[in-house]
Amino acid sequence: MNESVQQYLDSLENIHGWLQPGAAELICNVDAIQQQRGTSGARVEFGVHHGRSLILLALLDTDSPVLGLDLDDSHVRPHIESYGLTNARMLTGNTNDIDADRIRAELAALGASSVRMVSIDGDHTYEGTLHDLLTTAELLCPGGVAIVDDVANPIYPGVHQAMIESIDTELLVPFAAAGGRIAMCSPADIADWADALSGYAVVDVRGWPVVMTTD
């Protein structure tokens, strides 16, 4: 973990939002493994709020772009500017109307031809979350990962419903969880990710091995 990332994590309270330490650790671990493996590409986030997760993604790899999608960018833009993140961009509008082709076009303009990580923290409805999962499955490169927020939050049953549908249809399947977020990948990549995070406690989620990277 580079110094700028650690300094950011130590000062998270400066930005309004929700990013538990376990979730931040999960994102950092996945990013580190991808970089070690040479898995390159942009990062995308559905639902940015004030930018807690977006800024972390941008700081972890300043050489590749991060694209945030949200209805409005007024809350996050000052934080992007304060951290001097020239690799972070925002695309505003109803995220449920933004498809994979539109995202690819935006990323191509930023010099990126692939996507290696997607954070899903959108409108928290079943329809919205399923849209984000379907779009993510189209976008992810081999070795790519989706990290979904609020999967076990009873306030948002639609998120859980959409995630279960994704698992049951093997669109994306889970391999790790922490801090209220679950990491998902293509079924073709599940063995590699399970091996990369071996040594942690494992629970069964609808037949798939999920490592719990924090208590």
Side-chain angles (χ1 to χ4, degrees):
M1 184 185 302
N2 63 53
E3 184 177 351
S4 62
V5 171
Q6 188 58 63
Q7 289 176 348
Y8 173 67
L9 293 177
D10 289 340
S11 60
L12 274 181
E13 68 278 0
N14 294 332
I15 297 178
H16 179 66
W18 303 270
L19 178 62
Q20 297 182 37
E25 180 183 346
L26 176 62
I27 291 170
C28 291
N29 285 343
V30 168
D31 175 84
I33 292 167
Q34 287 182 324
Q35 294 204 47
Q36 289 165 7
R37 291 175 168 175
T39 305
S40 61
R43 280 70 44 76
V44 175
E45 180 164 55
F46 288 91
V48 176
H49 194 48
H50 288 236
R52 274 197 178 188
S53 298
L54 183 84
I55 290 169
L56 174 60
L57 291 171
L59 288 171
L60 282 167
D61 180 5
T62 57
D63 293 328
S64 66
V66 177
L67 181 66
L69 314 176
D70 214 319
L71 286 170
D72 177 70
D73 65 0
S74 60
H75 295 302
V76 66
R77 189 166 296 282
H79 297 302
I80 291 174
E81 293 172 354
S82 70
Y83 281 92
L85 295 171
T86 58
N87 64 325
R89 295 287 190 275
M90 289 294 298
L91 175 60
T92 58
N94 186 337
T95 58
N96 296 340
D97 295 331
I98 301 175
D99 61 15
D101 288 339
R102 175 74 186 282
I103 293 170
R104 288 193 194 100
E106 292 289 331
L107 291 174
L110 300 174
S113 58
S114 62
V115 175
R116 68 178 174 91
M117 191 184 300
V118 177
S119 171
I120 297 178
D121 194 12
D123 71 6
H124 288 68
T125 65
Y126 163 74
E127 293 81 7
T129 305
L130 186 61
H131 164 274
D132 297 348
L133 287 165
L134 289 167
T135 304
T136 295
E138 285 191 61
L139 290 171
L140 286 178
C141 67
V145 171
I147 297 182
V148 188
D149 194 18
D150 285 316
V151 293
N153 190 330
I155 299 174
Y156 304 115
V159 175
H160 182 77
Q161 182 184 358
M163 185 200 68
I164 292 301
E165 183 171 326
S166 173
I167 295 171
D168 288 347
T169 59
E170 298 190 14
L171 175 74
L172 293 168
V173 295
F175 66 88
R181 305 197 187 197
I182 193 161
M184 307 180 76
C185 66
S186 163
D189 294 329
I190 188 69
D192 287 341
W193 280 109
D195 180 66
L197 294 171
S198 62
Y200 291 97
V202 176
V203 298
D204 180 278
V205 177
R206 301 181 82 83
W208 297 92
V210 176
V211 301
M212 308 302 291
T213 61
T214 59
D215 294 333

